[in-house]
Amino acid sequence: IRDWSAEFMNGWIALLDSTIRDAQADGAIDPAEDPAQLAYEIEAFLLLANAQFVVRQDSLPIGLARRALEHRLALATAG
């Protein structure tokens, strides 16, 4: 299970990284952004939101993560 989980997480982060690189190529994300760093930050927001949602059983963490992601992506937007 540990190996599968690690492989899954590595694949997910690689997908985020690749998607960010595609967005950079399309001009949607600033080329100066580090794709690995942005992918890490996105996953951190999602992971914390999910963990807090499971523990708290309310949607407040989901809203907080949504706003954090919107803010971070706005900063990463080209132009």
Side-chain angles (χ1 to χ4, degrees):
I1 298 263
R2 181 199 166 281
D3 291 345
W4 181 88
S5 296
E7 184 177 326
F8 178 83
M9 183 58 68
N10 289 337
W12 170 242
I13 295 295
L15 178 61
L16 284 174
D17 185 281
S18 174
T19 302
I20 292 163
R21 289 176 192 279
D22 289 345
Q24 286 175 316
D26 290 342
I29 298 287
D30 188 335
E33 282 288 337
D34 177 355
Q37 180 66 38
L38 184 55
Y40 181 89
E41 291 176 33
I42 290 169
E43 177 56 19
F45 290 139
L46 295 174
L47 188 61
L48 181 58
N50 184 64
Q52 287 186 342
F53 175 76
V54 168
V55 170
R56 295 170 61 147
Q57 294 294 301
D58 74 52
S59 61
L60 176 66
I62 304 301
L64 293 171
R66 180 177 291 120
R67 286 192 300 279
L69 283 164
E70 288 170 351
H71 176 74
R72 181 61 182 95
L73 291 173
L75 292 174
T77 301

